[in-house]
Amino acid sequence: MRIGLIGTGRIGSFHAAVLARHPAVASLVVTDMDPARARQAAARTGATAVASAEEVIGAGVDAVVITSATSAHAELIGRAARAGLPAFCEKPIALDLAGTLGALHEVERAGSVLQLGFMRRFDAGYAAARTAVRGGALGRLHTVRAATSDPAPPPAAYLPLSGGLFRDCLVHDFDILRWVTGREVTEVYATGSDAGPAMFREAGDVGTAAALLTLDDGTLATATATRCNGAGYDVRMELAGERDQIAVGLDDRTPLTSTEPQGPPAPAEPWPGFLERFAPAYEAELDAFLGVVRGERENPCDGREALHALRIAEACELSRAEHRPVRMTEIPEA
């Protein structure tokens, strides 16, 4: 297959390397708003660099991988759909419901394929947790605790473009909560703190956030996130039922130190970031996409999944702003 990739930043360059060595990919065409960066990525991977997204789409590609700036996602999804090309896009589709729905309507009108990059669905730990929960190994699930902690804040210029901590970061937790449990969120209560670097206050964002989520079967879930976890990159989920409890993301690189005399020591090499922690999952999601393009499997993460997660993030932002619980029925679905 001939694959086009639009955007050769950090995650785009990672994806380009994965695609270049995949046995099903015969050739790769890349572009970026920064032509020099696209040429560098092409040189590293043996790809062909072109000047624009239009050239990628017109280069006889069989599918498109979109890893550009978030602000361009919806437009590029629409272009791919109108060209009849299957598309893989990193989350989010857009930073608002209107933009997300507009792109989804383009895909549906064209009858094309859109797979979203929620990589945690392809992580072995989360997959095992899903099997345990849905197979009844935990008994009745009553509590879920999810946490995403970045080791250091992103550049200040990124914050106003990110959509905020709930939409940019916790949206992964909202998606994986639905995927693992098979349940829907009915109500949220969320808050956040801008204590810490001034750039969060200047951007109208928060550096730490917490949400209490009620699921449709009565299960309670908490989801927390911070941009300032100096110990390392920490992404975990704990699921407790009446019969047993399990944890995802607890291994010898988890940046967590026990204070108990018999507890495990501090990790020798804590996870430094998301690319290292989820590298196998990123590879697996692209392998799945290529299988979808070849007609060998069903889409494992349709674009509508991004809409569900974004609605939860929108409800959390409303809750934080108005200091009240928000029912999901208050957030538009279409």
Side-chain angles (χ1 to χ4, degrees), residues 76-95:
L76 292 171
I77 288 169
R79 287 187 191 178
R82 291 190 294 274
L85 292 174
F88 172 95
C89 184
E90 279 298 331
K91 68 84 189 166
I93 292 175
L95 293 177

Side-chain angles (χ1 to χ4, degrees), residues 181-292:
T181 66
R183 314 305 308 192
E184 298 294 344
V185 174
T186 59
E187 184 178 88
V188 310
Y189 188 78
T191 189
S193 170
D194 62 7
M199 63 181 182
F200 294 111
R201 293 183 291 279
E202 292 166 358
D205 195 8
V206 293
T208 302
L212 173 63
L213 314 165
T214 302
L215 306 189
D216 57 13
D217 64 348
T219 299
L220 297 180
T222 59
T224 62
T226 184
R227 301 284 198 186
C228 304
N229 194 58
Y233 182 72
D234 188 10
V235 170
R236 280 177 287 129
M237 174 180 271
E238 300 170 4
L239 301 109
E242 292 181 342
R243 186 179 303 157
D244 200 359
Q245 64 177 345
I246 56 177
V248 179
L250 187 60
D251 60 24
D252 60 2
R253 298 191 68 181
T254 303
L256 184 69
T257 303
S258 174
T259 60
E260 298 297 330
Q262 304 303 317
E269 293 185 66
W271 293 111
F274 65 91
L275 279 179
E276 295 82 3
R277 165 67 177 84
F278 288 109
Y282 280 118
E283 293 204 30
E285 70 177 358
L286 283 181
D287 181 69
F289 175 62
L290 296 175
V292 172

Side-chain angles (χ1 to χ4, degrees), residues 135-180:
L138 307 187
R140 184 187 69 84
L141 189 66
H142 53 73
T143 307
V144 181
R145 293 176 287 270
T148 294
S149 302
D150 287 332
Y158 172 76
L159 292 177
L161 309 175
S162 72
L165 194 58
F166 290 105
R167 298 185 188 93
D168 179 52
C169 185
L170 277 165
V171 72
H172 279 291
D173 297 273
F174 302 150
D175 175 72
I176 206 65
L177 175 65
R178 296 180 59 251
W179 189 76
V180 168

